[in-house]
């Protein structure tokens, strides 16, 4: 058993108590008991740069970036970068190896004929992984998301993003002058009728430039990126089995976030945010959203919906999405589907789709 496996074993016991439980919870055991952890409640006053950093009193959070990119020949690509922080027990302030935090990094590079993914893990407060706020930096080993912003600007207005594996790497600059976007009710993002919720905000307006590499080939790319920040102690109900989540860059600069939380016992729960080109938001209610799977594919011994019809009638949105690469399976310790998508219909554009719990 190597060192990384030693770190991964307690993480998996924490996140996935057993095969049946893992399937029931869909992802990261997010419907489990959350007693003794901080709770998500309405009316939070966000504070920056502090809230760009970690919240160890909550069970789980993530820093998550996706980018839709194009190389000089016009070929589309996509990248994903995620740093998860999981608390194995309520925070006691211990340091070093006794610290109860576990860090998990996922990275992926997608192209029309290829999907490559990687995973790395760290444990505790040893310097191998972490997040700082002044200046902002999130890292695990040599994967990093670091701020290049001026001191007076929001830390997320200029970022440098890197990840590398034996098969691929990327090195990207992300910049935007636009404001952060808060989902739900001023950042309180409800996940069920019973009230489960997370704190959730995004920066969906990044322009991207940099390089991606596979083997010995390096490509210069440009495009659009979306950063999500989310934390909670119990965002799902026990009966919710997973989610289908979309982040879309639509022509004209409009952005759209939609998700469906699938429920084995009752109706699925829907939510979303319509984001104008200048950053104004409209919170979408469950009855505002229609999400219809159109086509499935057999991937990793699962039937997965890789094409969707998405409708928001009040916004005259009626679109179809298709996967850039249907085989965008994240073959990680907690497996899921994540990949770039293309949009056509009443609006055109690109985006990302994540599907868990299948």
């Amino acid at each position: 058993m190597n060192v990384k496996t030693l770190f991964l074993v307690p993480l998996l016991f924490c996140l996935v108590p057993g095969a049946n439980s893992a399937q029931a919870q869909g992802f990261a055991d997010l419907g489990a008991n959350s007693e003794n952890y901080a709770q998500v409640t309405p009316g939070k006053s966000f504070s920056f740069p502090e809230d760009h950093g970690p919240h160890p009193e909550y069970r789980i959070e993530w820093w998550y970036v996706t980018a839709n990119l194009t190389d000089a020949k016009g070929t589309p690509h996509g990248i994903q970068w995620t740093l998860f922080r999981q608390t194995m027990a309520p925070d006691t302030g211990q340091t070093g190896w006794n610290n109860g935090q576990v860090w998990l990094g996922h990275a992926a590079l997608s192209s029309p004929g290829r999907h490559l993914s990687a995973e790395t893990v760290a444990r505790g407060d040893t310097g191998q992984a972490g997040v700082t706020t002044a200046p902002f930096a999130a890292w695990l080993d040599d994967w990093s998301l670091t701020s290049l912003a001026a001191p007076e600007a929001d830390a997320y207005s200029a970022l440098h993003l890197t990840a590398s594996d034996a098969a691929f790497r990327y090195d990207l600059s992300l910049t935007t002058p636009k404001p952060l976007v808060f989902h739900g009710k001023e950042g309180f993002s409800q996940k069920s009728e019973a009230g489960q919720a997370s704190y959730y905000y995004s920066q969906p307006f990044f322009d991207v430039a940099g390089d991606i590499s596979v083997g010995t080939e390096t490509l210069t790319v440009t495009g659009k990126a979306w950063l999500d920040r989310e934390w909670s102690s119990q965002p799902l109900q026990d009966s919710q089995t997973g989610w289908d989540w979309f982040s879309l860059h639509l022509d004209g600069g409009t952005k759209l976030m939609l998700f469906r939380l699938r429920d084995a016992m009752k109706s699925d729960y829907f939510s979303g945010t319509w984001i104008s080109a200048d950053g104004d938001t409209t919170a979408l209610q469950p009855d505002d959203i229609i999400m219809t799977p159109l086509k499935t594919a057999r991937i990793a011994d699962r039937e997965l919906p890789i094409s969707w019809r998405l409708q928001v009638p009040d916004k005259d949105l009626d679109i179809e999405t298709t996967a850039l690469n249907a085989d965008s399976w994240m073959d990680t310790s907690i497996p899921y589907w994540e990949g770039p998508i293309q949009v056509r219909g009443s609006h055109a554009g690109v985006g990302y789709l994540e599907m868990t719990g299948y």
Side-chain angles (χ1 to χ4, degrees):
M1 180 178 290
N2 62 33
V3 173
K4 188 169 289 186
T5 303
L6 286 171
F7 294 146
L8 186 57
V9 168
L11 174 68
L12 293 179
F13 275 107
C14 182
L15 297 187
V16 187
N20 292 335
S21 176
Q23 185 174 1
Q25 294 304 333
F27 188 77
D29 194 24
L30 294 179
N33 191 297
S34 63
E35 291 182 5
N36 301 319
Y37 295 93
Q39 299 300 308
V40 173
T41 57
K44 173 180 169 59
S45 179
F46 287 82
S47 177
F48 299 106
E50 291 79 12
D51 278 325
H52 290 328
H55 302 81
E57 66 274 24
Y58 294 84
R59 289 182 65 223
I60 191 167
E61 69 182 312
W62 49 78
W63 294 256
Y64 168 81
V65 180
T66 58
N68 294 90
L69 306 169
T70 305
D71 64 27
K73 294 182 179 180
T75 303
H77 307 270
I79 67 95
Q80 174 204 349
W81 188 100
T82 313
L83 179 64
F84 301 94
R85 181 203 57 78
Q86 171 82 20
T87 300
M88 296 178 66
D91 183 47
T92 60
Q94 292 179 301
T95 59
W97 295 105
N98 293 320
N99 181 276
Q101 307 297 322
V102 180
W103 303 87
L104 176 67
H106 286 177
L109 174 62
S110 302
S111 301
R114 178 167 47 198
H115 176 81
L116 303 169
S117 63
E119 178 176 66
T120 188
V121 184
R123 170 70 189 276
D125 178 31
T126 63
Q128 184 186 356
V131 179
T132 58
T133 57
F136 172 80
W139 74 94
L140 203 170
D141 294 331
D142 59 351
W143 300 9
S144 64
L145 178 67
T146 56
S147 178
L148 303 177
E152 66 277 8
D154 182 78
Y156 287 179
S157 63
L159 294 169
H160 181 221
L161 179 69
T162 66
S164 61
D165 185 61
F168 70 94
R169 71 166 185 87
Y170 48 77
D171 189 315
L172 303 169
S173 296
L174 289 63
T175 57
T176 182
K178 295 189 176 181
L180 300 170
V181 168
F182 295 84
H183 300 288
K185 187 175 182 180
E186 299 175 339
F188 176 80
S189 174
Q190 194 164 329
K191 300 298 194 290
S192 78
E193 295 292 351
Q196 276 81 7
S198 67
Y199 294 128
Y200 183 13
Y201 67 90
S202 301
Q203 176 47 269
F205 290 109
F206 284 118
D207 293 316
V208 185
D211 297 324
I212 60 173
S213 299
V214 178
T216 59
E217 181 183 30
T218 297
L219 300 171
T220 297
V221 292
T222 58
K224 302 292 184 183
W226 182 301
L227 182 150
D228 269 356
R229 279 287 288 118
E230 195 163 6
W231 64 96
S232 183
S233 291
Q234 190 185 14
L236 303 189
Q237 286 191 286
D238 288 342
S239 59
Q240 290 177 317
T241 60
W243 60 77
D244 308 297
W245 174 91
F246 294 84
S247 62
L248 304 179
H249 304 277
L250 303 178
D251 287 354
T254 298
K255 313 292 182 178
L256 177 61
M257 184 280 294
L258 297 173
F259 65 78
R260 175 182 76 158
L261 282 164
R262 303 187 306 279
D263 198 305
M265 303 297 293
K266 59 188 75 172
S267 298
D268 297 340
Y269 187 83
F270 296 84
S271 186
T273 307
W274 183 271
I275 308 163
S276 72
D278 59 6
D280 291 336
T281 62
T282 301
L284 302 176
Q285 303 306 310
D287 291 344
D288 296 331
I289 301 164
I290 305 169
M291 296 171 58
T292 308
L294 296 178
K295 180 182 178 182
T296 64
R298 190 72 179 170
I299 301 166
D301 293 325
R302 299 160 170 86
E303 285 295 325
L304 292 167
I306 58 168
S307 178
W308 292 74
R309 182 183 183 187
L310 305 177
Q311 297 168 274
V312 182
D314 285 352
K315 296 296 184 180
D316 296 322
L317 179 102
D318 189 346
I319 58 176
E320 292 185 11
T321 73
T322 56
L324 178 65
N325 182 343
D327 194 17
S328 293
W329 185 248
M330 298 294 292
D331 190 19
T332 46
S333 56
I334 305 164
Y336 56 102
W337 194 100
E338 177 99 29
I341 56 175
Q342 298 173 320
V343 176
R344 65 181 182 183
S346 64
H347 299 66
V350 294
Y352 250 76
L353 166 61
E354 179 180 87
M355 299 184 287
T356 74
Y358 285 94

